[in-house]
Amino acid sequence: MTDIINVLYDEDALDQRNAELAALIAEAGYQKLLVIAVLKGSFVFAADLLRALYRAGVPLEVEFMSLSSYGAGTKSSGNVEVVRDVDADVRDRDILLIDDILESGRTLAFAKTMLSERGASRVDVAVLLDKKGKRVAEIEAEYVGFDCPDKFVVGYGMDKAHMYREVPFVGHLTEI
Ligand code: IMP
Ligand code: MG
């Protein structure tokens, strides 16, 4: 089997959307902003969005968090594990979580609750892609790059079995 990567969002579309998202985030008036990139899938999106935020004049600090969701086929909502936690104290900070895809929402709902319980003053979410039809947890992102069709996508940080994260655009896979 060979994977064909069909372009969904090309580099120009991603650049333009990142600038638009940064402008929206700049208007939101965050204080003591701590941006947390959820690894691994968000690393390319986060790198571009952070630089767009710099151009939009938004001061911030960056942290990373690695979460793994297991038993994703079950209906229980608590089965997310912190693989790598943030180093910073989040108390009284405004947080912007960055992730690649909001699908069931379990992962980001877990992270949001955890950070709120630690005393963050505000926890908002920016995702590159929203697969709206797949939501299980009650969560919406404040910032969405694109509404994503219900297809398996790769590239721009996102993988299929650890491959294709380096692809510079977002594509969906077909096999021949
Ligand atoms: P959920 O919102 O907790 O269901 O988790 C969404 C996560 O599933 C994303 O952060 C990705 O890591 C992964 N994911 C969902 N759909 C795709 C896809 O189409 N390609 C690659 N990873 C995906
Ligand atoms: Mg992920």
Side-chain angles (χ1 to χ4, degrees):
M1 291 267 210
T2 308
D3 287 330
I4 308 281
I5 307 177
N6 310 277
V7 180
L8 259 182
Y9 307 110
D10 65 18
E11 291 172 72
D12 286 345
L14 292 164
D15 283 351
Q16 192 187 323
R17 192 61 188 137
N18 282 328
E20 290 168 1
L21 291 177
L24 292 173
I25 293 166
E27 284 168 14
Y30 293 106
Q31 302 294 317
K32 292 193 289 180
L33 180 61
L34 178 65
V35 174
I36 301 178
V38 181
L39 298 174
K40 304 174 183 166
S42 77
F43 82 108
V44 179
F45 173 47
D48 281 352
L49 182 58
L50 287 168
R51 285 175 290 180
L53 286 169
Y54 173 81
R55 289 178 207 115
V58 181
L60 54 85
E61 291 173 24
V62 188
E63 281 274 354
F64 302 92
M65 175 180 269
S66 184
L67 300 170
S68 90
S69 57
Y70 49 96
T74 73
K75 286 214 165 91
S76 55
S77 55
N79 45 3
V80 178
E81 195 179 28
V82 181
V83 177
R84 184 213 188 276
D85 209 338
V86 293
D87 297 321
D89 184 356
V90 302
R91 186 165 302 277
D92 301 324
R93 308 268 324 239
D94 286 348
I95 310 277
L96 181 65
L97 279 167
I98 300 186
D99 206 353
D100 53 355
I101 304 182
L102 185 56
E103 192 171 20
S104 76
R106 284 193 188 96
T107 315
L108 286 171
F110 171 89
K112 245 188 118 152
T113 304
M114 185 179 80
L115 294 163
S116 299
E117 284 173 358
R118 289 182 187 173
S121 39
R122 178 172 176 181
V123 186
D124 285 353
V125 172
V127 291
L128 178 66
L129 304 176
D130 190 356
K131 288 187 178 174
K132 280 198 160 70
K134 295 291 196 84
R135 201 81 82 251
V136 175
E138 239 176 77
I139 182 168
E140 293 304 327
E142 280 71 20
Y143 310 97
V144 172
F146 302 95
D147 286 327
C148 186
D150 186 15
K151 290 179 168 162
F152 196 82
V153 296
V154 296
Y156 204 58
M158 297 174 285
D159 73 310
K160 174 195 167 195
H162 311 294
M163 288 177 66
Y164 308 127
R165 291 193 197 275
E166 73 282 17
V167 172
F169 54 85
V170 177
H172 70 91
L173 287 179
T174 48
E175 290 175 347
I176 54 166

